[in-house]
Amino acid sequence: MPLTVAPQQALPPHFSATEFREALGMFATGVTVVTARDAHGKFVGLTANSFNSVSLTPPLVLWSLARSAGSMAAFCAGSHYAINILSADQQELAVQFSARGRDRFAGVAFTQGSGGAPLLDGAVATFECFNRSRYDEGDHVIFVGEVERCNHRPGASPLLFHGGRFYAEHPL
């Protein structure tokens, strides 16, 4: 049987950006708010659903941020950040932390984690991370965090995102 030689680069896509986004939306995810402090001590945060585990030993997680994000400099320069997994009743927080041109922390209850990043009250889980490494890929930067502390609320329901919509009820 002859060996097939793999191409040296990817073929051009046979779909539009809209089709790609819609297909990605078919993967149900949890919803997170990633928080940190910038070099001047100001809190920064954003809604992200690009969160995933990487390794148990050492404990590593990842998330990604668009290169064009206004908070990119803060997340690149900072030593720590927190990933807050939102609960089913925190849809308003997901919207608030994705809005442009407003104080995303207005009216938000939180405690400060050991690395300085805000830990949102009511989250189903939080991960306090050392900003271990970053990888430039496409129009995003992938952040890998080494988890220094984590906690969770057993039995709490997470907020889900699928097909461009939030879901708070989870059928079995």
Side-chain angles (χ1 to χ4, degrees):
M1 180 184 305
L3 290 175
T4 304
V5 177
Q8 296 300 310
Q9 63 184 38
L11 298 173
H14 286 95
F15 49 84
S16 69
T18 300
E19 290 171 313
F20 186 53
R21 180 179 283 275
E22 289 173 357
L24 289 171
M26 292 297 99
F27 183 66
T29 66
V31 182
T32 71
V33 169
V34 185
T35 58
R37 291 184 85 141
D38 70 11
H40 306 290
K42 180 182 175 192
F43 294 124
V44 295
L46 57 101
T47 301
N49 66 345
S50 60
F51 169 74
N52 207 348
S53 63
V54 175
S55 169
L56 292 176
T57 307
L60 302 175
V61 294
L62 67 77
W63 64 285
S64 63
L65 179 62
R67 288 180 195 271
S68 60
S71 56
M72 179 61 77
F75 283 108
C76 283
S79 65
H80 288 80
Y81 54 81
I83 300 169
N84 301 270
I85 299 178
L86 299 186
S87 67
D89 63 352
Q90 291 182 308
Q91 182 175 337
E92 287 180 19
L93 275 183
V95 172
Q96 181 169 333
F97 277 90
S98 64
R100 295 181 189 264
R102 69 182 285 190
D103 177 4
R104 293 179 176 180
F105 284 89
V108 175
F110 63 88
T111 58
Q112 197 167 300
S114 63
L119 306 176
L120 304 182
D121 290 1
V124 298
T126 57
F127 299 88
E128 295 181 66
C129 302
F130 170 71
N131 197 353
R132 179 180 170 123
S133 54
R134 291 170 297 286
Y135 300 93
D136 293 332
E137 289 295 337
D139 58 3
H140 278 65
V141 173
I142 300 165
F143 288 81
V144 176
E146 186 162 351
V147 180
E148 295 178 335
R149 289 176 179 73
C150 67
N151 68 56
H152 70 285
R153 292 190 300 131
S157 293
L159 181 63
L160 297 181
F161 192 73
H162 176 262
R165 294 180 47 201
F166 292 106
Y167 291 88
E169 294 183 20
H170 313 117
L172 297 176

